[in-house]
Amino acid sequence: MRTLSVVITTPPSSYLTITAIDYITHAINAGVDVVGVFFYQDGVLNASANISIPNDEYQTHKQWQSLNQDHGIDLHVCITACEKRGLSDDLADSSSESQSNINQYFTVSGLGELVELTAKADKMVQF
């Protein structure tokens, strides 16, 4: 079976992000095993739990959630890139409780996970 891994470096508002989602969906429909998606650079903004996209625009965050839930695709987000962009899986708020501003469908990872996804896949594509 053919395997694919994908790297996303574009923010949720980018047409390239929409193209990536379409590419992954078509790959799944063609019988390709998508071993995972790695979000890096501005791509980590796709993982924000605070994303607010107008209703009349393409809902990228809902599409990532669907790929994760419906197809079991792991969504890995680079923690270093997240921290540079104000995202964290453990933020202290004013009441000293911890909370995350990363969507629950994303797994916080490091670049080591990117290496593993590359090794598992026959092909890697970056958007």
Side-chain angles (χ1 to χ4, degrees):
M1 173 178 260
R2 298 176 296 167
T3 56
L4 172 70
S5 62
V6 180
V7 176
I8 304 295
T9 59
T10 56
S13 60
S14 170
Y15 286 111
L16 284 175
T17 302
I18 297 168
T19 301
I21 293 168
D22 287 344
Y23 184 88
I24 293 167
T25 302
H26 283 86
I28 292 167
N29 292 337
V32 175
D33 180 23
V34 179
V35 296
V37 179
F38 190 84
F39 296 83
Y40 190 57
Q41 297 173 343
D42 283 346
V44 300
L45 296 173
N46 286 278
S48 175
N50 300 320
I51 248 176
S52 180
I53 298 173
N55 289 335
D56 63 339
E57 293 183 21
Y58 191 83
Q59 302 294 308
T60 52
H61 62 294
K62 291 181 181 177
Q63 296 304 314
W64 291 124
Q65 177 181 337
S66 175
L67 287 170
N68 174 261
Q69 288 183 317
D70 299 343
H71 302 286
I73 296 176
D74 293 329
L75 306 173
H76 299 277
V77 63
C78 177
I79 188 59
T80 303
C82 282
E83 289 174 350
K84 288 181 180 180
R85 288 159 180 84
L87 297 175
S88 176
D89 64 338
D90 189 45
L91 289 177
D93 65 11
S94 59
S95 64
S96 298
E97 294 178 16
S98 295
Q99 81 184 99
S100 174
N101 61 0
I102 296 175
N103 190 299
Q104 65 181 350
Y105 301 102
F106 291 80
T107 302
V108 174
S109 302
L111 288 177
E113 188 61 42
L114 176 59
V115 173
E116 286 188 36
L117 289 175
T118 303
K120 291 179 187 176
D122 297 325
K123 182 178 184 179
M124 173 179 269
V125 179
Q126 177 183 342
F127 290 91

